[in-house]
Amino acid sequence: MSPLLAIAAALLVGAGLILLAGVSPLGAYSALFSEALTNYFGFGNTLTKMAPLLLTSLGVLLALKAGQFNIGGEGQIYMGGVGSALVGLYVQGLPALVHVPLALLGGFLFGAIWGMVPGYLKAYRGVNEVITTLLLNYIAQNLVSYAVSHPMKEPGAPTPFSPMIAPSARLPVILPQTQVHAGIVLGLAATVILWIVFARSPVGYQIETVGQNPTAARYAGISVERTILLVMALAGGLAGLAGAGEVMGLKYRLFENFSPGYGFDAIAIAFLSRGNLAGIALISLFFGALRSGANVMQRSAGVPVTVVYAIQGLTVLFIAIGLVLERRVGEKG
Amino acid sequence: MNITTFLTDYLSASLRLSIPLAFAALGGLWSERSGVLNIGLEGMLLTGAFVSAAATFYAGGNVWVGVLLALVAGALAGLLHAFLCVTLRVDQLVSGLAINLSVAGLTAFMSRLVFTSDTTQKLSGIRAIAIPGFSQIPILGPLLFEQDLLVYLLLLLVPVSSYILFQTSLGLTVRAVGEYPRAADTAGIRVFRVRYACAIISGMLAALGGAYLVLAHVRFFTEDISAGKGFIALAALIFGRWHPVSTVLACLLFGASEALQLRIQAFGLNIPYQFLVMLPYAIALLAMVGLAGKSAPPAALGVPYQQESQSDGL
């Protein structure tokens, strides 16, 4: 129940902010959620935004299970975008059946490398992964900006973006007349796979042991270093797939600054889920709805979109407090 | 442009760009020396930036009202961090991240309410005070003796922090709490109280960095104006091995690389600007890698402390 309470508390503070803007919170929220959840096109938009959030937050969660704070989702999304765009642009003449998986693999690998570097540095050199993943975000974002301004720039483009990727490398739209692409299926499949890994497999057990007690893991013959490296690479790869989805399913090009902060939302989502994989899908849906409804709320109720970012941040704050309250109750009872 | 003016200009830009980092890093230093990890520096810096801008705006351009309220807001952010980390024993990373995310959202929202399109004019800003005589010295004069009060304050804070931390019993107390809280507790030191105080100081210093950024440097507030400065300050802290002098020197290095970036852009050299923008982050990253294993953080950093008797509280 605690995540729901945290969300409720954040929505309540958000209501206060909306009041400050001189608007009725009830009206604003009903505009936001009725658009995002009950309108066909609005819900489509919610799912479109949910896809990258889900994939990236799975990456954050996976790392978290091994005790690693992967704050680099944003950078990994950007690198994933590059990897898939490279395959989509410069490999031509393949059937979609081969080209799509190949481009996804490109995205996965680029993201994985971006996660593996801080993973390696943490595991073998003892460098704090929080700061390295953070710094790599800024580097990745600028690398993409450089790529689409120079080597990958569409000739004569008014703003920095790449040419269109080959039609054979595009993800299919799965809901007619919306932008919902197969990335959401990928995200749900990844959720199920991770669920199986953690519920059933020795690998999942190994990861959780490293996260909970590295010393015990070492005694049990688990290589803590290799586990951290693997987990960070996979985390980066999942975020990379999110970036690939944006390029292959939504924009069909690589754009400068194409992620509106999905990587940072993903951190919030992963913490909110508290390790629960069904929860992570639901919370991604909620955050997707916030993002998709926010614009409508701004247009129809005149509340700045940024109130949604405040609500997201506060949700994390309240969950942090909620976790402790729960622990307190547990200790006493 | 002759070499003297270029050098004066370049060095003063480097200094200007490193001041917010240095305030934040010094703030981080106090908190982390007492064992409280502070990833929230970014949010605290942003808090100071927004509050100083908004307060100055409402106070009709009185920058000192802005600075004062930034200090208050920074202290509150530090207090929140301390409450979460020390009293509630929330994971210190999570607490810092929660502060960063909340502040980013709140300031972005509030700035839309405060600074509407017709109020985005430049804030009045803090004026530099030239120290007579000294400011005439070539290169160094304008650099060190023609600055605003916040810069003088920072230049004062570095030796003062070093002195307090390493030469006084108060400093010993802080370091003991950061290294061996259990022993400190046994010796009668109120571990919680010290950590609260250090986290609050941390928030105030980071907020001053934000106030400097807005009031003395860019003179307006925009969403996400902190742009990762709090994180670079953290890297500087690690680079500087939790010592005030070397930490501030590391901040100067980052400031100098950012200034270089702006100069090279202005000269129109044929280097894509994205690589130049990346430079401070890349240097920070390389610094972290180069120092791996050599930089020993306070032993109890990031470890919540559980007092022997909970009822004791503060």
Side-chain angles (χ1 to χ4, degrees):
Chain A
M1 275 315 278
S2 180
L4 286 183
L5 277 178
I7 288 173
L11 285 175
L12 207 65
V13 179
L17 293 175
I18 293 171
L19 270 179
L20 271 182
V23 177
S24 144
L26 226 57
Y29 280 147
S30 78
L32 191 157
F33 289 110
S34 68
E35 163 74 12
L37 297 174
T38 62
N39 174 305
Y40 176 76
F41 299 104
F43 186 65
N45 199 1
T46 299
L47 289 182
T48 310
K49 294 190 165 30
M50 176 187 168
L53 289 173
L54 179 56
L55 282 163
T56 313
S57 55
L58 285 175
V60 179
L61 181 72
L62 181 64
L64 211 53
K65 292 236 184 205
Q68 304 303 303
F69 286 87
N70 173 28
I71 314 298
E74 189 76 355
Q76 293 149 9
I77 289 174
Y78 276 104
M79 293 314 282
V82 174
S84 64
L86 285 174
V87 177
L89 274 173
Y90 301 116
V91 181
Q92 295 277 354
L94 290 178
L97 217 57
V98 182
H99 206 175
V100 166
L102 202 64
L104 285 174
L105 185 70
F108 181 87
L109 283 180
F110 269 59
I113 290 169
W114 219 243
M116 206 160 76
V117 170
Y120 169 81
L121 290 172
K122 172 68 184 291
Y124 294 96
R125 308 282 305 272
V127 185
N128 182 323
E129 81 282 9
V130 175
I131 305 191
T132 50
T133 49
L134 266 168
L135 292 172
L136 282 168
N137 285 338
Y138 293 98
I139 295 177
Q141 197 174 356
N142 280 294
L143 275 179
V144 168
S145 167
Y146 164 73
V148 295
S149 313
H150 295 282
M152 294 173 78
K153 187 175 200 274
E154 162 100 300
T159 53
F161 57 74
S162 77
M164 289 262 214
I165 58 168
S168 54
R170 292 177 193 174
L171 289 175
V173 167
I174 57 168
L175 282 184
Q177 291 179 306
T178 69
Q179 293 186 307
V180 184
H181 56 82
I184 187 73
V185 181
L186 215 59
L188 292 170
T191 312
V192 174
I193 292 170
L194 280 184
W195 182 78
I196 295 171
V197 164
F198 282 106
R200 309 268 143 139
S201 82
V203 181
Y205 176 72
Q206 182 180 329
I207 291 172
E208 283 183 318
T209 313
V210 167
Q212 278 153 15
N213 193 338
T215 320
R218 239 182 265 283
Y219 278 118
I222 298 168
S223 166
V224 174
E225 289 79 16
R226 271 175 44 202
T227 309
I228 291 175
L229 190 67
L230 172 83
V231 156
M232 287 297 281
L234 279 175
L238 284 164
L241 283 179
E246 294 303 284
V247 170
M248 296 165 60
L250 196 61
K251 313 257 170 90
Y252 305 133
R253 301 173 190 274
L254 187 63
F255 272 88
E256 187 179 41
N257 300 331
F258 70 85
S259 168
Y262 289 137
F264 297 104
D265 287 8
I267 300 164
I269 296 168
F271 280 120
L272 272 168
S273 78
R274 301 162 47 194
N276 182 321
L277 285 156
I280 216 163
L282 280 175
I283 298 165
S284 299
L285 181 74
F286 172 70
F287 273 51
L290 280 182
R291 275 193 179 274
S292 112
N295 288 320
V296 174
M297 181 184 68
Q298 172 154 0
R299 249 179 290 131
S300 70
V303 182
V305 173
T306 45
V307 76
V308 159
Y309 306 138
I311 291 172
Q312 290 171 342
L314 290 166
T315 317
V316 182
L317 199 64
F318 289 127
I319 193 80
I321 297 171
L323 275 173
V324 176
L325 294 179
E326 219 164 75
R327 191 170 71 206
R328 287 278 156 91
V329 172
E331 277 166 7
K332 277 176 190 143
Chain B
M1 187 193 287
N2 71 48
I3 188 76
T4 318
T5 36
F6 173 77
L7 212 58
T8 313
D9 181 54
Y10 173 63
L11 290 178
S12 66
S14 303
L15 186 69
R16 205 161 49 233
L17 289 163
S18 50
I19 299 293
L21 298 177
F23 271 117
L26 267 187
L29 189 132
W30 275 97
S31 159
E32 300 206 348
R33 275 287 178 180
S34 78
V36 180
L37 194 70
N38 197 349
I39 296 285
L41 284 179
E42 174 82 0
M44 294 172 180
L45 197 143
L46 192 56
T47 303
F50 172 72
V51 171
S52 68
T56 302
F57 173 67
Y58 282 123
N62 187 334
V63 286
W64 300 109
V65 175
V67 171
L68 199 69
L69 285 178
L71 277 173
V72 173
L76 287 175
L79 182 69
L80 174 66
H81 189 53
F83 177 67
L84 288 169
C85 299
V86 179
T87 303
L88 296 183
R89 285 183 285 130
V90 167
D91 187 295
Q92 300 183 358
L93 275 168
V94 177
S95 166
L97 284 170
I99 289 174
N100 289 342
L101 288 171
S102 307
V103 169
L106 285 173
T107 55
F109 177 76
M110 299 297 285
S111 75
R112 298 276 169 97
L113 297 190
V114 177
F115 306 108
T116 47
S117 55
D118 48 316
T119 59
T120 43
Q121 84 276 30
K122 279 211 158 189
L123 294 160
S124 43
I126 301 178
R127 233 167 277 133
I129 302 166
I131 295 178
F134 290 102
S135 62
Q136 308 304 320
I137 304 169
I139 303 178
L140 279 184
L143 188 63
L144 292 177
F145 302 105
E146 201 181 329
Q147 295 286 356
D148 58 75
L149 276 179
L150 288 181
V151 178
Y152 294 135
L153 176 67
L154 178 77
L155 293 177
L156 196 68
L157 277 171
V158 178
V160 167
S161 293
S162 302
Y163 177 76
I164 294 177
L165 270 174
F166 299 107
Q167 309 288 333
T168 67
S169 65
L170 185 66
L172 185 64
T173 302
V174 171
R175 286 185 293 135
V177 166
E179 298 282 347
Y180 309 107
R182 175 77 54 211
D185 194 356
T186 314
I189 294 171
R190 307 274 196 130
V191 173
F192 277 23
R193 209 179 271 189
V194 172
R195 289 193 168 172
Y196 259 87
C198 286
I200 290 170
I201 291 171
S202 185
M204 290 169 82
L205 288 174
L208 270 185
Y212 176 87
L213 180 66
V214 160
L215 297 179
H217 192 178
V218 294
R219 298 198 181 177
F220 59 85
F221 180 85
T222 53
E223 232 172 89
D224 197 31
I225 198 170
S226 50
K229 287 189 166 49
F231 302 125
I232 292 200
L234 280 174
L237 187 55
I238 297 168
F239 199 28
R241 301 183 193 196
W242 290 270
H243 191 289
V245 175
S246 39
T247 296
V248 168
L249 287 177
C251 291
L252 274 173
L253 173 73
F254 293 137
S257 77
E258 208 182 334
L260 182 68
Q261 178 254 110
L262 295 170
R263 292 293 166 294
I264 296 177
Q265 275 192 56
F267 278 139
L269 293 185
N270 203 12
I271 306 173
Y273 82 90
Q274 290 93 348
F275 286 105
L276 301 169
V277 175
M278 258 185 246
L279 199 62
Y281 303 105
I283 289 179
L285 190 70
L286 290 176
M288 301 266 320
V289 175
L291 276 175
K294 289 181 201 143
S295 190
L301 184 60
V303 186
Y305 181 66
Q306 190 151 20
Q307 274 175 325
E308 294 291 324
S309 117
Q310 278 283 325
S311 58
D312 216 14
L314 286 180

